[in-house]
Amino acid sequence: DAKTTQPNSMESNEEEPVHLPCNHSTISGTDYIHWYRQLPSQGPEYVIHGLTSNVNNRMASLAIAEDRKSSTLILHRATLRDAAVYYCILLNAGKSTFGDGTTLTVKP
Amino acid sequence: EPEVTQTPSHQVTQMGQEVILRCVPISNHLYFYWYRQILGQKVEFLVSFYNNEISEKSEIFDDQFSVERPDGSNFTLKIRSTKLEDSAMYFCASSGAGSRKLFFGSGTQLSVL
């Protein structure tokens, strides 16, 4: 099944934008690109998803490359509460595999 | 917002015992999933369930595991004979049609002694 690749960790300063990249070069035409995050001692939480076009919601923005082989989650102003592991996954029929995710550290 | 409910929050069992982890998905959802997370590791897919049958399963989901939707509201994961390495946090998730946005429960921490 299609796999995603993310950097192991990233750091940001509070109130600054954060760009979290994800590569998914084997994406198929019907895969949705989803982002979830996991705060310490909690279950994964939905952040945003898209198919082909860029998306915005109250939590974040998702920029999807034209060939769909990569995407970037954008947190416009990081807060301390955004410190979490961020997972980029591809969702289609049935199976969804979480990669290793990116651990985001936000410094005050 | 509607949520996925999992019970119990913690389960302790002896090796070799059977355990059943319970989940109540969001009521109008059609797809149901189990994931697990061993302490300090990533979230691992176990199984997905749609239309009263397994649609996908991972290599982890061997003959010791089974899932059931016994009554149209509950979704259960049974481990027939638990092993020490089954100790993990087990997450249930559900999704509707279309984009398949996953809603996760808060998990059941299983400890096998």
Side-chain angles (χ1 to χ4, degrees), chain B:
Chain B
E1 189 169 28
E3 54 182 33
V4 175
T5 307
Q6 289 187 245
T7 55
S9 56
H10 293 85
Q11 173 92 48
V12 181
T13 189
Q14 297 290 325
M15 191 169 58
Q17 294 295 304
E18 174 184 287
V19 293
I20 298 176
L21 309 182
R22 301 179 194 281
C23 169
V24 180
I26 293 170
S27 62
N28 61 347
H29 279 183
L30 304 173
Y31 301 88
F32 313 108
Y33 310 82
W34 283 100
Y35 292 83
R36 79 172 186 191
Q37 187 172 33
I38 295 170
L39 185 64
Q41 298 186 24
K42 68 181 182 184
V43 176
E44 298 176 292
F45 170 79
L46 291 178
V47 66
S48 61
F49 192 86
Y50 170 70
N51 202 25
N52 282 321
E53 60 183 27
I54 290 173
S55 49
E56 295 276 354
K57 61 182 180 179
S58 71
E59 305 76 28
I60 303 167
F61 194 87
D62 61 21
D63 292 344
Q64 292 300 309
F65 291 88
S66 62
V67 289
E68 198 176 35
R69 189 153 159 80
D71 57 14
S73 63
N74 290 286
F75 180 51
T76 61
L77 175 70
K78 184 195 290 188
I79 309 175
R80 239 176 294 282
S81 176
T82 49
K83 303 188 281 280
L84 295 176
E85 52 265 39
D86 293 327
S87 296
M89 180 71 89
Y90 287 80
F91 292 108
C92 171
S94 69
S95 68
S99 68
R100 309 285 181 85
K101 174 182 169 182
L102 294 171
F103 290 79
F104 283 84
S106 53
T108 293
Q109 179 65 56
L110 176 65
S111 298
V112 182
L113 306 178

